[in-house]
Amino acid sequence: MKNQRILFARTPSGLPVPEDFSSDEVAVPAPGDGQFLSRTIWLSLDPYYRNVMKGSQIYADRLKPGDPMVGETVAQVIESRHHGFEPGDYVAVRNGWQGYALSDGSGVRKLNPAQAPLSTALGVLGMPGLTGYAGLIYLGEPKPGQTVVVSAATGPVGSTAGQVARLVGARAVGIAGSDDKCRYAVDELGYATCVNYRNGELRAQLKAACPDGIDVYFDNVGGDTLAAVLANLALHARVVLCGMIEAYSMDKPPAGPFLGPIVGARATMKGLVVYDWVHKQPEFFRVVSNWIREGSFRYREDIADGLANAPGAFCRLMRGGNFGKALVRVAPESI
Ligand code: NAP
């Protein structure tokens, strides 16, 4: 048995390209006392990996050229010398971009495949889902009838924030990068409307879509999109700063948006870090799993097959080419 690994080769210049990664095959490691070995089934592709690749200090991960890429995965335990885990257990674990990895069990969550499809532990019922749920409810504080605008509206974070907004009685308005995504946002996710920022000036499109102004903005993008929203805020608006994907592939931080409208609207801007909301995870699972079971909450996945295709799929994600939660199917769920 060989362990196929995708390695960090170099810090990308601008948007990542497949040459920023390399690969190798090494022997599968054996677990020591207190460890288990698992085989990776699903690899999550998340925009923050681009920040890790440039050495951003806000993440615990530090990569040197030749290190396996880091990342969240769903895996199955195949050998265990850890009293809490048995062969056959499915787990959410940070195996990174490799076929097999050892773990000492810290930060590992056991998964029940009968409760929800395993891949959802990386998307709608995982870190991105919790981000959209807790960020919108506790920082956005939407009220019934208010207008909630969400950018990257069909991604795992955005589709959660948008559907939560609808389900608490707010009017959800999406911003997305294609007509297909906008159609899906309205027809499947239940946004009241969705504007395609590639179809003309966003500021004017938002004014038409939100005639009474924007009460809550859940920002996944930053840059020009944030500036266009700020120009349309309602009085006492809340702006949840969740992600700035537009800036992740820039070598220098971009010039900031003009914040004058925040003053005029007496608005509040709040920064969101999902790890501050882990205590809300049980509530989030209960509420969102229930909505999924009832059929009032949908999700979509964008799946690449095989670890060798992970770099290409990640590069596509960072160009906005994904449509749904970006995942890599590394191996079959059962063997
Ligand atoms: P995602 O929505 O699948 O992210 C990719 C999407 O971003 C693209 O499909 C694209 O959708 C959109 N996008 C807009 N402008 C872009 C640009 N200039 N370049 C590339 N993509 C662009 O990913 P996600 O996992 O749900 O994450 C959404 C945001 O939340 C990211 O910024 C992420 O870093 C952030 N996040 C923050 C936390 C936290 O704790 N604060 C936790 C998780 C995620 P359109 O084509 O529709 O624009």
Side-chain angles (χ1 to χ4, degrees):
M1 247 176 13
K2 285 283 183 200
N3 185 19
Q4 185 191 4
R5 311 188 303 173
I6 306 289
L7 313 174
F8 168 67
R10 62 179 187 197
T11 298
S13 158
L15 286 164
V17 292
E19 294 70 32
D20 299 326
F21 304 87
S22 61
S23 63
D24 71 1
E25 273 191 359
V26 294
V28 174
D33 260 353
Q35 291 186 320
F36 66 79
L37 173 72
S38 66
R39 64 174 190 98
T40 308
I41 296 170
W42 293 102
L43 165 66
S44 179
L45 297 179
D46 291 278
Y48 84 87
Y49 299 169
R50 175 66 183 82
N51 286 335
V52 174
M53 293 174 84
K54 68 178 167 197
S56 171
Q57 296 298 310
I58 65 167
Y59 306 100
D61 299 306
R62 295 280 174 273
L63 286 175
K64 298 183 304 304
D67 285 344
M69 277 293 295
V70 291
E72 282 73 23
T73 59
V74 165
Q76 186 173 36
V77 176
I78 51 176
E79 208 182 323
S80 181
R81 295 182 61 193
H82 187 299
H83 60 86
F85 297 90
E86 285 177 20
D89 284 350
Y90 289 105
V91 287
V93 56
R94 298 191 85 232
N95 277 1
W97 299 29
Q98 53 186 339
Y100 299 87
L102 296 175
S103 167
D104 64 5
S106 38
V108 175
R109 189 157 57 90
K110 281 200 196 181
L111 301 173
N112 178 353
Q115 225 162 42
L118 289 170
S119 59
T120 60
L122 300 173
V124 67
L125 292 176
M127 182 276 285
L130 177 63
T131 305
Y133 176 86
L136 186 73
I137 297 276
Y138 295 105
L139 296 181
E141 300 182 51
K143 309 279 179 303
Q146 291 191 330
T147 297
V148 174
V149 171
V150 180
S151 52
T154 62
V157 174
S159 65
T160 304
Q163 293 184 89
V164 171
R166 164 175 58 79
L167 288 158
V168 301
R171 177 171 178 267
V173 173
I175 301 176
S178 72
D179 289 342
D180 264 2
K181 287 183 178 180
C182 279
R183 247 190 313 278
Y184 172 76
V186 172
D187 295 349
E188 297 288 328
L189 303 177
Y191 283 88
T193 184
C194 178
V195 297
N196 176 353
Y197 57 86
R198 297 184 206 276
N199 281 351
E201 213 226 348
L202 182 58
R203 184 172 165 161
Q205 290 196 72
L206 285 172
K207 191 164 183 55
C210 311
D212 300 327
I214 296 165
D215 297 294
V216 181
Y217 176 46
F218 193 102
D219 186 21
N220 285 315
V221 173
D224 293 344
T225 308
L226 174 59
V229 172
L230 294 186
N232 283 286
L233 293 181
L235 269 184
H236 308 297
R238 282 83 66 204
V239 177
V240 182
L241 298 178
C242 172
M244 310 257 145
I245 192 165
E246 202 169 283
Y248 297 173
S249 298
M250 293 179 181
D251 298 329
K252 283 205 212 106
F258 174 59
L259 295 179
I262 292 279
V263 181
R266 287 78 161 168
T268 313
M269 269 180 141
K270 299 176 185 175
L272 165 64
V273 173
V274 64
Y275 303 109
D276 298 342
W277 298 95
V278 170
H279 61 290
K280 295 288 179 191
Q281 209 162 29
E283 168 193 313
F284 154 69
F285 281 143
R286 195 177 60 251
V287 173
V288 175
S289 314
N290 211 21
W291 283 336
I292 293 176
R293 268 195 300 278
E294 281 171 13
S296 57
F297 190 108
R298 309 268 173 90
Y299 64 93
R300 178 180 175 116
E301 297 173 332
D302 182 320
I303 296 172
D305 262 306
L307 200 50
N309 289 318
F314 178 67
C315 295
R316 201 160 61 81
L317 166 71
M318 294 311 297
R319 284 165 178 73
N322 67 309
F323 187 172
K325 169 64 200 163
L327 292 168
V328 178
R329 193 189 337 254
V330 178
E333 293 191 351
S334 21
I335 42 175

